[in-house]
Structures are given as structure tokens and as C-alpha cells.
Amino acid sequence: MPASAPPDAPGARERPRIVFADMDDTFLAPDKTLLPRNMAMLDRLAEEGIEFVPCTGRAWHAVPEEVRRHPATRYAIPSDGSVVIGAASEEVLLDQSLGGERALTLLSRVRGLLGRMSFEVYADGRVFTDMHGWGLIERLGLPAAQTAYMRASRTLVDGPIEEAIRAARTVERVGMCWGVTPNAHELAAAARAAVGEDPTLRHTGSNDSAIEVIDARASKGAALAWLCDSLGIPRGRSMAFGDSPNDLEMVRAAGDGVAVGNACEALVAEADHVTATNAESGFARYLEGVLG
């Protein structure tokens, strides 16, 4: 079990030089909105010269603009660690992406399932879906906030999804979503089996209604370690916040891995500390205690 410290306990940990945070159900509120207390903490990190790095399964342009353009945010790790980018330039600094060829091969393996699930392409900082995937969003049985987010963050392609794959410069990862349906277990097993046919791929995810397919080398934790090393920041001076299974590598890699209070049991077990929930601005509360 982690050593739990009150989020406002002064001196709970050494002051970080770089802070990584998952977005959904960690930094963002449960309804996916920005919390004023967390945004105020970003202001403080910028003032004190502490790097803030969104480390998320989202595509870069699906991260709220207020976070993307914030002075504290100079680097980002989108698409589950498939790339590390410069926030302002969007230049790819570390490329461990899936690539178009493997995305097309995977698509061919799951084509028979596409009447019941979507196949989305995370490429060049955006999420691309075809007409079928777009129409499926409303029928996935997901919470209203998740449905609204998916509608707002997807780019509808005029034609088959293969065209988006072939046109992309960097295919970062793909996502397959089947939602909350009676045959979800069957679809999940079939999708995971298709990924398992290629040992250079792996799947991760934050819930049971979808999987995120990435290069086997890629993870939030590997990206965290690479960025710390590239910036000359000791990994022991890094801090990471997460809530779900796809945050495990990041929390393990950080000098101080912090689980928000609503995190899954596996992440709580791995974390060094546990803070308040995302609804209670656990990100800011913990850092307030550390920074004093």
C-alpha cells in the first residue's frame, strides 16, 4: 500500500522540477471541465519555473486549449506516450508511434467487427473517424460528458478511414470503442486478440468500453523517463498524477507517483501517495502541500 500523505501537508515530498498529469479523471473534473484550483496551480508552476506536462491518452488537440497554451506547458505526451512533442511548435521530439502500415494491417483484422465498434485514428495531433464511427458515438451508451467530448474532439473524414491513415504524417495510435453493450466482453476479446497477432503492438485503456493500441515500446512511463533525461532533470525530481491502468507506467517511473482519490485499485497500490479526488482538485491540493 502507498504511504498516504495529506494533500496539504507541507514538506510531504521534495519539490519537483517537472510535473506530469493525466487529463481525464485526474486533472479534469468528472464532467471533463477545467477546475479553477487546478488552473491556478498551473499559474504557480509557471511562476516558479516548474515544468508541467500533460501526459494523456488524448490527441494533442483534444487537450483543452487553456492547458495547451498555458505558459507552464512547454512539452506534452499525448496518445499514451506514442510521441513527445513541443507544445508550441507541435514538433515531434520522440517518435514511438504506431505508423500507417501497422494501423492498416490491424484495420484489416478487425474489419468484420466494425458494424459493432468504431476504429479511430490518432494522427498528427487529432482524432479521425469515418461516418460509421461518427454515427456510433451516440449509441455507445457512454456517460453524457464522454459522448459530448467525443463529438467535440473527432474530425470526420469524407471517405473511408484508410484515407486518413494514408494521408497522415504520423499515425500515433488507434482506438477501438464498443461502449457499454451486452456483447462488450465478446468485442473486447476479439479486439485484443487482433492486437495480439502482432508482437510489436500492445493495448492499454482507461475503461472496459474501449482499447487504445500503441507500439509495444510506447508508454507514458517511457516518455516521462525520456523527457526527464533529455531536459537533464533527475527522475527523482519528477512527479506524476494518474487514475487508471494506462497511468501505471508513468506513476512507477516518477520520483513521486500520486494517485487521485478516485483512482483504480491497481494504481492506488502502485502510487507513492494518494490525494483527493479529481472532483476535489486533488492535483492542486497535493501540490499546495508540497510547494508550501
Side-chain angles (χ1 to χ4, degrees):
M1 291 296 293
S4 179
D8 57 352
R13 295 290 291 182
E14 186 176 20
R15 290 171 66 87
R17 290 179 55 189
I18 188 167
V19 175
F20 299 80
D22 175 55
M23 290 285 105
D24 295 281
D25 297 318
T26 299
F27 184 85
L28 300 177
D31 64 358
K32 302 189 181 297
T33 59
L34 294 165
L35 293 157
R37 193 167 175 178
N38 284 350
M39 293 305 295
M41 179 52 67
L42 289 197
D43 294 340
R44 182 171 177 185
L45 294 180
E47 291 168 1
E48 299 194 16
I50 299 171
E51 303 280 359
F52 174 73
V53 184
C55 197
T56 175
R58 291 188 176 209
W60 178 231
H61 284 269
V63 174
E65 185 174 8
E66 296 91 334
V67 175
R68 287 191 287 118
R69 304 303 181 197
H70 197 279
T73 308
R74 297 200 301 152
Y75 304 94
I77 301 173
S79 294
D80 286 321
S82 296
V83 291
V84 178
I85 64 170
S89 66
E90 301 185 11
E91 177 187 1
V92 175
L93 307 175
L94 174 67
D95 186 351
Q96 296 190 130
S97 56
L98 181 70
E101 183 177 342
R102 286 185 293 175
L104 289 168
T105 300
L106 181 60
L107 176 61
S108 70
R109 292 194 188 117
V110 300
R111 191 171 296 281
L113 304 174
L114 296 186
R116 295 177 291 167
M117 72 178 192
S118 62
F119 188 96
E120 299 181 323
V121 179
Y122 288 62
D124 303 329
R126 290 177 167 78
V127 188
F128 297 92
T129 189
D130 60 11
M131 187 62 73
H132 163 72
W134 184 262
L136 193 61
I137 291 173
E138 298 291 344
R139 304 196 303 273
L140 292 174
L142 299 173
Q146 178 70 12
T147 298
Y149 155 68
M150 290 180 71
R151 281 287 190 195
S153 62
R154 268 56 180 169
T155 297
L156 178 63
V157 299
D158 184 17
I161 197 67
E162 291 94 328
E163 294 181 6
I165 294 173
R166 294 190 178 100
R169 295 187 306 276
T170 305
V171 177
E172 298 158 10
R173 72 168 180 89
V174 301
M176 290 179 274
C177 185
W178 46 84
V180 183
T181 61
N183 59 352
H185 181 74
E186 171 195 342
L187 290 171
R192 289 166 181 154
V195 176
E197 291 185 39
D198 185 343
T200 71
L201 303 179
R202 72 183 185 98
H203 59 80
T204 183
S206 57
N207 55 59
D208 295 326
S209 63
I211 61 171
E212 300 159 9
V213 184
I214 57 178
D215 185 283
R217 302 167 299 166
S219 73
K220 293 182 179 184
L224 177 154
W226 181 89
L227 185 57
C228 285
D229 293 349
S230 297
L231 297 176
I233 297 174
R235 297 181 195 178
R237 297 293 299 276
S238 67
M239 184 179 290
F241 294 80
D243 74 285
S244 61
N246 66 347
D247 299 321
L248 280 168
E249 293 97 336
M250 175 179 69
V251 164
R252 290 172 184 147
D256 187 9
V258 185
V260 288
N262 51 288
C264 67
E265 291 183 5
L267 194 78
V268 170
E270 291 282 349
D272 298 300
H273 294 93
V274 179
T275 184
T277 68
N278 67 318
E280 300 166 315
S281 302
F283 169 85
R285 289 181 60 184
Y286 186 82
L287 279 165
E288 288 163 3
V290 172
L291 299 179

